[in-house]
Each structure stands twice: as C-alpha cells, then as structure tokens.
Amino acid sequence: MDVRRQPRFLLTPARCRVILAGLLLLPGGVGEAAEEQAAGQPEKNPLVLVPERVFDAVDGLVHEGWTVVVTGQKITAAGPKATVQPPANAATIQLPGMTLLPGLMDIHSHIFLHPYNEALWNDQVLKEPVAYRSVEAVNHVKATLMAGFTLLRDLGTEGAGFSDLAIKRAIEEGLIPGPRLLTATKAIVATASYGPGPLGFAENVNLPKGAQEASGVPEILKAVREQAGAGADWIKVYADYGRGSHGKEEPTFSSEELRALVEEAHLAGRPVAAHAMTPEGMRRAILAGVDTIEHGYSGTEDVFKLMASKGVAFLPTLTAAEAYAEYFHGYKPGTSPMPAQLERALESFKLALDNKVIIGVGSDVGVFAHGTNYRELEWMVRGGMTPVQALLAATAVSAKIVRMEDKVGRIKPDMLADVVACSGDPTKDIQALRSVSFVMKDGAIYKKP
C-alpha cells in the first residue's frame, strides 16, 4: 500500500490531551504556539517579529531595522519597519540583539545513529532494537529543531528499515517536535559491500544489514521500486565503500548498474544521493546522473569540474571527518596536528569551492551529536567560505538542492514561516549559530527567549 494514501491520523479530543501531555513532559518543553499546533489549533493572531537585523538569504545582506510578519503558516511581509503595516490584531515578539534568518537545513543526517564514541556503528545496528533506536530518533529530531535546523534530509536508517517514515509521519501530525524530514529509508548497497560484516564474522552467521543489498540491474530496480513505493523522498546509493584490501575504498557498482538505478529513481520522481569517496566512484555516479554527491573526501579537480558542468551538488560532511579523526585517530581539536584524513577532506572542499560546485550543508550528523549541526558551517568557513556563503548554503542553496526553494530557505512573502534567531550576527561570526534562542516552524513557535 502507498503510505501517502493512508488515512491521516484522527485528532480526537482524547488524543489531543495525550499529545499535549506528552509534549509538556519532553525535556525543555516546547513553545505555546507549538502546543497549540500539536492540538490541531491554528495561531490565534498574526505575529510581528522584531529582531535587531534580518538575514533574508535573498540578497546575501543583513538588513537592520526590519520586521517580519507571520500569518498562519506563512510569512506575509518582510522589510523596513516603516514600510511594513502589520494587521491591527497582530501580536509582537521582540528579539533584541538578535539576527533573524531562515530556518537552517542539514541535508545529510542519520537520526537513527548516535556518536560512535558512545557506541560503535556495529553495536548500534546489532545490539540496539529498532524500537529503542526509534525512541532515540525522537530525541534526536527534537534536539535538531531546538538548535535551529528546521529541515533534515535523512540519508539512510542504518538497519532500522522504513522507520524514518514513521518519524516523519509523527512530526507532520504533531505527535513529536522535529524538523521537516526528507527520507531515504534503507539506502542501496552492493552485495557484501556494507556492514555489519561479512568480514570479521563467521561465515555461518546471518547478519542483518545496515542497508538494502542488490547486485545486477534487476535487483537494483527492485530495490528502488520497493523504497520509492514505501514512501522514500530520495534514493541513496553507495557508489563506493571500504571493501578493498585492508578496508580500502573502492567502487561497488558498475556504471551500467548506477545508470539503471538513477533512471528508475528519476522515473519515479525521486532524486538520487550518492555516497562517494573515491574519484572513480564519484565519476561513475556523476556520469550516471545522480543529483548529489556525499562526502567526496578524495575528490580531484577533474571530478569537481565534471560535477560543476553537470550541476551535481556536493555535501562535504566535514564534521564527520573531524569526528572520525577524534574517535579513531586520537585527534584532539586545538591541541594536536590535523590528521591526514581531515586535511584531505578540507582540500577536496576547497577544490569544490574553487571550481564553483553547488555546495549545500550536509554534516553526517549522527556520527556526532544531534543538535550540534552548526559545527558543519564552522568547518565550511574554516575551509574557505565566508560566513555569508555558509549561511546561504544552509538556507537558500540547500532548499534548492532538495527542490523546495519555492517553500523554504528565504525570508520573503509567501514562503513558509520557518525562521530562527540567534544572538549576535552570524554573517560576521558564524559561531553565533551556537546560541539559537528562537525557533519557528510552519508559523508555530517551538523555542523563544
């Protein structure tokens, strides 16, 4: 059955009371407007947001003295205070000393994972029941929203099957607070080219897998159709992986297999994200027609030029490279030399930037702590972006990558009211994003000073 055609959740008065009670018990609570939305009640009044400045992600400038009017779920006005005439019944929210900007986006996340220094990936997949991981995911999406990230593209449940579809439904129906969630469900990997195992385990052990295995065009078409049919918004494929001797990254699918996967996904209206670390894996994926490349730590100038010519977007996941260096190579930020793996990731990022590749914000959060997604923007600035470029990557650019530029990513009339505010000016100091104290999604307030 197509999950998109299932009956919507019926909000009876009894269920409303249960939902409200559950939300109030969540650590940190949620804003009053969010509680009203969870109970199916619209905002009572238009709202006028009065920050010190607005970064609208339209012209790349900071606008002092602007106000923003929100009516229902949408932005209805934005501009200098003297030119904006709010409705007479509007309520005003003062945000002194703050910068208002579009809700941030992280379009490479894993809500069913938590940091590997808490539990290794194998242990999470093999020892944590899916129900337990789903409870963790509820906490993860809340932490993400409260940090100012109002949209996630979650690129694989890592052994939790189609559970991301349930989390997405719970968010959309107001059962739990969380960002807009784009799902990729299981992801697709070549047979015996993803964990757990088979290397390192006895041959008679039947291991669950962290993604859906496929070999040959018929199996690939079947996997794409199953995932799209279940409700995946994106199809994710692993174009290479550490399957060579000593775990060396090598391409996993043939060019023919990748072309068949992309063609079928696009036929179903699903864009394709490709995990690709090696130049050859990246090249095959790009020529097959994928829409985004994830990681690209060993990308070459030729590969990035090819990406730019094809309009393929890049999600650099620099924070994940830092986290791996900390967990497995003894890296201590600020006190030890940068390890070769992290230096290589930064070099690839700079090549992509120099060759004018479309770059969005994708951090691989889950490898590191949910709610600290802002670290990716800080790394992008260290890697050569200006703070404004990083903010645009996290808003208007990422919105375009996920085909939602007509709905989110900018502060302007008729856009959905996904806006956040932080102390200070992140266009001058990107670390200002560490102190997001106002979060609105769909016109509902989830966090306020």
Side-chain angles (χ1 to χ4, degrees), residues 260-290:
L261 183 147
V262 172
E263 182 179 357
E264 181 62 26
H266 286 175
L267 189 64
R270 303 311 199 274
V272 178
H275 167 114
M277 299 276 200
T278 65
E280 179 60 17
M282 293 172 71
R283 188 189 69 82
R284 290 186 188 190
I286 295 162
L287 292 176
V290 303

Side-chain angles (χ1 to χ4, degrees), residues 153-222:
R153 183 183 59 153
D154 200 64
L155 287 183
T157 59
E158 307 292 335
F162 293 123
S163 298
D164 53 350
L165 301 175
I167 299 296
K168 177 179 179 177
R169 178 179 175 183
I171 292 170
E172 290 179 346
E173 293 177 355
L175 289 173
I176 60 173
R180 300 182 188 279
L181 192 61
L182 300 174
T183 61
T185 67
K186 299 179 180 181
I188 299 172
V189 295
T191 302
S193 299
Y194 201 64
L199 187 66
F201 291 84
E203 71 277 5
N204 61 328
V205 175
N206 186 19
L207 293 164
K209 290 298 177 183
Q212 185 169 357
E213 292 186 321
S215 286
V217 170
E219 288 187 8
I220 286 169
L221 295 180
K222 184 173 184 285

Side-chain angles (χ1 to χ4, degrees), residues 226-268:
E226 286 179 353
Q227 294 186 20
D233 300 301
W234 281 69
I235 300 297
K236 183 184 180 182
V237 61
Y238 282 73
D240 53 27
Y241 204 69
R243 66 171 187 159
S245 60
H246 307 292
K248 183 182 177 183
E249 297 279 345
E250 299 287 359
T252 52
F253 285 113
S254 69
S255 296
E256 178 190 12
E257 289 172 318
L258 287 172
R259 285 194 300 270
L261 183 147
V262 172
E263 182 179 357
E264 181 62 26
H266 286 175
L267 189 64

Side-chain angles (χ1 to χ4, degrees), residues 103-107 141 143-152 178-180 361 371-377 394 420 433 436 439 441:
L104 302 169
M105 304 177 199
D106 188 340
I107 57 175
V141 295
T144 301
L145 180 63
M146 297 309 169
F149 286 78
T150 58
L151 185 147
L152 288 180
R180 300 182 188 279
V361 168
T372 64
N373 314 60
Y374 54 77
R375 292 165 58 185
E376 185 70 12
L377 284 85
V420 301
L433 295 180
V436 169
V439 177
K441 189 192 79 172

